[in-house]
Amino acid sequence: MEKRIKGFSKLSKQAKMEWLAKAHLANPTEGLTLMQSYMHSDAQIQKRHDEFIENTVANYFLPFGVAPNFLINGEVYTLPMAIEESSVVAAAAKSAQFWMARGGFHSEIISSTKIGHIHFMFDGDTEALKSVFAELSVELKQATSHITANMEKRGGGILDIQLVDKTAALAEYYQVEVRFDTRDSMGANFINSCLEEMAKVLKRGVAQAETTAASHLDVVMCILSNYTPECLVRCEVHCALEDMVEGTDMTAMEFAHKFQRAVRIAEVEPYRAATHNKGIMNGIDAVILATGNDFRAVEAACHAYAARDGQYRSLTHCSVEDGLFRFWIEIPLSLGTVGGLTQLHPLVKMALEMLGNPGAHQLMMIVAASGLAQNFAALRALTTTGIQKGHMKMHLLNILNQLGATETEKEIIAAQFAKLVPHHADVVKAFYDLRGLPVPGAH
Ligand code: MEV
């Protein structure tokens, strides 16, 4: 069947599913049944999901787990986590418990300003542009008043508007750099709308001014920046060095020093830093997704921040001084607890309710704790027993599910591997041995 199609978006949902199944799947009937089986039984809820994006043909499930016992700034939270990777939720819960007994997580907001730009090219005199821009400053802000009125009522709005000369980096390139306080909303639509209104004023003003009228100003784009180094949160755990007991044969001092060295390696070595930060993002993304926030934006911001001095480095840091172990994270998190999916997705609504319907600042502090907890769990495993023990245990179930093991078979094989690292080939062999069958493909 022809794999290309014209006017796909205009087809009904059923017709889209049928075309997809026929054009791209080996067994169209099975494919269709599968897509249908992933639809929500409540038509209203399904319609809402259909309308989040275009061309919806099914829902894509991710497990929604919870990690209890997070003591953050004296409050106990149960963190909602949407993630497919085994062991992330278990690791978060384990870390939370460890730190619950040692005073918990201490989070603080450093700043919460968002930035957007009108990126434009101008071929005239820079000084003339500067003076026209100065004259336009009131009008630039006024032009957005119909958009900012509500935000201002909530205490937010435009904080600052600057002209930035970027011609040293790229000929004729300038920016209008605008700072915003978007309160409890992530603010992407708000920021972009403001910038587009301002761009009209800028274009008109430069075309009309005597000193710049003969020059050419070309607005390239108006867009918020996902790099948010002025929307920062810091979270720390600390305890007396002797309380860093680990449950292995290492002393508290040995463990703390080994842990600190692992962090130092990620501070200086990009190969390790990428994996180290990926582990942090396991915790962060899971809460971000569960609370209906934009994990791609947060990933972009965190990785850009990790490379802010020109070298990609660890987002967490550690010190062992004067008998005190301290471990902390500092990350840019631009989050929203109103708007977007927050009131539309029933599970997102529930996730926010579980957290006590936090404002954006509170959610930033919770998410930072989740990232720190995840990194603590990963480094603790890596510097003591090794990562595979915990990881592969959780992975055992995935392997058995892939093989189609029954519940009884899962129990028997899990018991066999209770004290062993379940390498894939060994689990496959145990499964076929249990069924009295030869391993497929084995000689
Ligand atoms: C795996 O998803 C994450 C880790 O690799 C993180 C790390 O190495 O720190 C375990």
Side-chain angles (χ1 to χ4, degrees), residues 86 391-418 420-435:
S86 13
H391 252 211
M392 296 303 279
K393 282 251 149 57
M394 300 295 288
H395 194 52
L396 174 68
L397 205 58
N398 284 346
I399 302 173
L400 290 172
N401 281 336
Q402 264 169 21
L403 291 167
T406 62
E407 290 309 310
T408 317
E409 286 169 336
K410 283 187 217 169
E411 268 174 40
I412 296 170
I413 296 171
Q416 283 174 18
F417 282 87
L420 299 173
V421 174
H423 296 298
H424 189 272
D426 297 342
V427 178
V428 172
K429 184 165 183 320
F431 172 76
Y432 284 103
D433 284 353
L434 184 64
R435 288 198 172 181

Side-chain angles (χ1 to χ4, degrees), residues 117-130 133 162-177:
H117 297 99
I118 303 171
H119 299 273
F120 68 96
M121 314 309 279
F122 176 72
D123 64 3
D125 176 51
T126 302
E127 290 312 310
L129 178 67
K130 279 185 188 165
F133 179 78
Q162 300 278 342
L163 176 70
V164 186
D165 180 351
K166 301 291 282 186
T167 53
L170 180 66
E172 299 181 358
Y173 173 34
Y174 297 84
Q175 303 168 338
V176 175
E177 183 170 84

